[in-house]
Amino acid sequence: HKGATVRTLSIENAREIYELRMVLEPMLVPRALESLSDERLAEARRLCDRMDQTRDVSEFAEYNRQFHDQLLAIDGTWLSRLVSMLQVAAGPYVGVSLHAHDTAMDTSNQEHRLILRAFERKDATAAGELTLHHLSSTIVLLESWWDHSQGDSK
């Protein structure tokens, strides 16, 4: 019987999580498109609308998780389970990234809308590239915020 282990946030962990996501999520896109229903697309659209309407970081982060889950969730495959685990692990970092810049929420949701349009067109290439860009821009925000916050504490 062991107790819970609490991990502190670190830029090293964030990089590892996002590096893995940047490899795995574009691989998942074509598979996800094969089983993507109109209902899940409609829910992803609603989630984008909710993200546009909120300024609350916690709400936005939860809608963000649900949005990506709607587009990429495929039950039963190892790849989708790994991506889901990484998305959960990235959750706290999403919140941090949203604090990194005044326009982070708006920029993130603009990227979501582009990803959504690619999924609606069933364009696996564009959806994969846009997903990669979205993940990459998040890690850039995190690194910028981390560098700035570490500089303030020295």
Side-chain angles (χ1 to χ4, degrees), residues 96-149:
V96 170
S97 75
L98 296 172
H99 287 290
H101 196 275
D102 292 344
T103 62
M105 283 188 203
D106 295 327
T107 300
S108 180
N109 213 32
Q110 289 169 4
E111 292 172 359
H112 289 149
R113 296 237 183 239
L114 293 172
I115 293 168
L116 179 60
R117 282 190 212 112
F119 271 86
E120 290 170 334
R121 293 190 316 269
K122 306 282 191 216
D123 185 341
T125 301
E129 289 172 358
L130 290 164
T131 296
L132 183 60
H133 172 78
H134 181 59
L135 294 169
S136 178
S137 65
T138 302
I139 195 65
V140 166
L141 279 173
L142 282 168
E143 288 173 336
S144 172
W145 182 87
W146 220 274
D147 289 345
H148 179 72
S149 69

Side-chain angles (χ1 to χ4, degrees), residues 4 18 20 24 33 41 43 52 70 94 107 111 134 138 147:
Y18 277 86
L20 288 166
L24 297 176
L33 280 170
L41 278 172
E43 181 59 20
D52 277 339
Q70 287 299 314
V94 170
T107 300
E111 292 172 359
H134 181 59
T138 302
D147 289 345

Side-chain angles (χ1 to χ4, degrees), residues 19-32:
E19 285 171 3
L20 288 166
R21 287 183 71 187
M22 290 186 312
V23 169
L24 297 176
E25 288 188 33
M27 287 174 55
L28 185 56
V29 167
R31 296 180 193 186

